[in-house]
Amino acid sequence: MPVRLLHSSDLHIGRSSFAGAPPDKAALLAEARRDALDRLAEAARGAGAPRVLVAGDVFDGTQLSDHTLDRALDRMKAASDLAWHLLPGNHDPHRPGGLWERLGRKGWPPNVRAHLAAAPVPLDPAPGEPPAVLLPAPLGHRRVPGDPTSWMDHAATPDGVLRIGLAHGAVAGFGAEEGAETNPIAPDRATRAGLAYLALGDWHRTLRVGLATWYSGTPEPDRFRIDPDGDRTRCGGGVALAVEIDGPTARVERVPTGRFVWHLAEPVLAETAEIEALANRFLHMQSAADIVLRLAPRGALTLAGREHFRDRIEETLAARLRWLDLDLSELEVRPEDEELAAIDLEGAVRIAADRLAARARDPADPDAATAWRALVELWLMRELAR
């Protein structure tokens, strides 16, 4: 029977700000991070794993309220059928008198263990499982100069037991996340240390480094990111890794855990049909109410196109999604001559509009772009006044 575990990391419980989200949206996103503990428990049970390994950044900081800490401990305690193995990361390092000692004074639930020292720890085997030892590499500071996993190479463990590493840091040569120049981890650490599996945290997306070395990614995303496959319209949802270790072989399966799915879209818009297609793409997605979307359109719209954008995107789509974050800095509005002529203006305002239109159409005028924006603002004010 293989050793089974659920590998997660970077829960960042206690985080309160999310990519500029307004307070009401930020509160929902913070709640989802707390609820991730329940979803991890469900994922572990579904995978038949009796334990959850959290590879650092369980918490978002070291100065969290007792209420936040108590709620997290209560969630893990409630999942009493699972063993929780927690590791200090760069956001929640283990310091004398710090966060982890506060948690210890509260009393660890019987099924929760914090690994605060770099020393082998035997894992309690489930019925039929072979013996295994956990080699944790806790961080004592936000940034450490050396490889926190180097001690694993020479860690003494009984012959024949499976060696499983647990660490938080940046593997050289595999891109950059926050603090990628610190807390470095050798890409061949699993081979050097004879590890059957090395569970890593720090990256917020899932990444396979080697046959036995994985970043789990966060169970609940907290920012907009480009999808690693290059899809700029999906940043993804939360994931954990269900791991089965049978001798030298580790089988890894991604398990969805996130409540919210984060998307980033940067479409080029020019026609009403393109606006309609954009709106329908997200409106027709399953669970649209759990989508967080940053929309940064580019291109140029007519006045009619801009009005359609406001109706379909800023009103209809925004009402359906959990949060729509709009960046319109690269979206121009270029009225057609017929549209400008149809604007119901009189007297001095009409004369001003005609002068702005003439300057906007003059490619030699250094303020042409400003004139276009002024025309659009004039049109918007007239529309709002109707």
Side-chain angles (χ1 to χ4, degrees):
M1 178 178 176
V3 172
R4 292 188 174 93
L5 61 92
L6 190 79
H7 169 198
S8 185
S9 69
D10 298 279
L11 276 70
H12 288 275
I13 294 170
R15 175 163 288 182
S16 58
S17 61
F18 301 87
D24 60 328
K25 307 299 183 185
L28 291 172
L29 297 172
E31 180 183 6
R33 304 203 76 73
R34 293 190 296 270
D35 293 345
L37 289 167
D38 298 334
R39 293 192 296 276
L40 288 174
E42 293 174 5
R45 296 184 187 112
R51 60 187 66 85
V52 180
L53 272 58
V54 185
D57 286 357
V58 183
F59 301 98
D60 191 56
T62 58
Q63 302 297 322
L64 302 181
S65 69
D66 285 334
H67 179 67
T68 296
L69 300 180
D70 291 341
R71 291 180 70 181
L73 290 177
D74 288 344
R75 297 287 181 97
M76 289 182 279
K77 181 180 180 180
S80 58
D81 55 322
L82 301 172
W84 296 81
H85 295 268
L86 311 182
L87 185 79
N90 64 313
H91 280 259
D92 54 2
H94 174 43
R95 303 293 301 278
L99 171 76
W100 295 94
E101 290 190 6
R102 284 177 59 201
L103 287 163
R105 289 193 295 271
K106 291 176 177 293
W108 291 105
N111 62 322
V112 180
R113 178 158 187 176
H115 296 279
L116 308 182
V121 178
L123 291 177
D124 292 333
E129 280 189 341
V133 171
L134 187 66
L135 305 181
L139 295 183
H141 299 272
R142 186 176 180 90
R143 296 176 175 84
V144 297
D147 185 337
T149 67
S150 60
W151 75 276
M152 298 179 185
D153 293 1
H154 309 290
T157 58
D159 292 340
V161 304
L162 295 174
R163 292 158 62 93
I164 300 170
L166 184 65
H168 191 89
V171 172
F174 282 84
E177 288 278 295
E178 294 178 6
E181 300 303 317
T182 57
N183 313 326
I185 294 175
D188 60 347
R189 178 61 63 206
T191 301
R192 291 191 200 180
L195 303 178
Y197 186 76
L198 176 55
L200 295 179
D202 193 29
W203 282 64
H204 284 212
R205 61 181 182 234
T206 305
L207 178 67
R208 178 182 179 179
V209 176
L211 290 176
T213 303
W214 284 76
Y215 283 98
S216 64
T218 179
E220 185 68 39
D222 59 7
R223 70 195 75 177
F224 300 98
R225 297 173 182 271
I226 302 300
D227 187 271
D229 296 326
D231 183 354
R232 295 181 69 84
T233 63
R234 180 179 175 87
C235 299
V239 172
L241 299 179
V243 183
E244 292 187 357
I245 305 170
D246 193 0
T249 303
R251 293 184 294 275
V252 180
E253 180 181 353
R254 304 183 190 206
V255 182
T257 57
R259 175 182 175 187
F260 297 118
V261 181
W262 292 58
H263 293 259
L264 171 65
E266 300 171 331
V268 177
L269 301 177
E271 305 290 340
T272 299
E274 294 168 339
I275 298 171
E276 194 66 20
L278 174 66
N280 288 334
R281 174 171 186 168
F282 290 100
L283 287 170
H284 294 161
M285 283 184 177
Q286 189 175 15
S287 302
D290 289 332
I291 289 175
V292 177
L293 170 62
R294 170 169 288 169
L295 183 58
R298 296 170 288 140
L301 299 175
T302 64
L303 292 180
R306 181 64 181 84
E307 178 66 16
H308 191 67
F309 182 92
R310 182 169 63 181
D311 175 58
R312 294 293 288 154
I313 303 298
E314 297 181 57
E315 296 181 6
T316 303
L317 183 59
R320 287 285 305 278
L321 304 183
R322 178 59 58 185
W323 175 35
L324 175 62
D325 181 28
L326 271 177
D327 178 2
L328 302 180
S329 60
E330 298 297 323
L331 184 64
E332 298 182 37
V333 180
R334 293 187 174 272
E336 296 179 337
D337 291 342
E338 297 80 5
E339 291 177 321
L340 291 175
I343 297 178
D344 183 19
L345 299 173
E346 297 178 351
V349 179
R350 175 80 262 173
I351 294 172
D354 291 340
R355 288 177 177 173
L356 285 171
R359 297 194 65 177
R361 295 191 189 95
D362 183 359
D365 192 323
D367 295 321
T370 302
W372 277 121
R373 288 193 293 270
L375 275 172
V376 173
E377 290 297 324
L378 182 60
W379 173 75
L380 289 172
M381 286 189 291
R382 291 293 296 178
E383 289 295 305
L384 291 173
R386 288 185 178 184

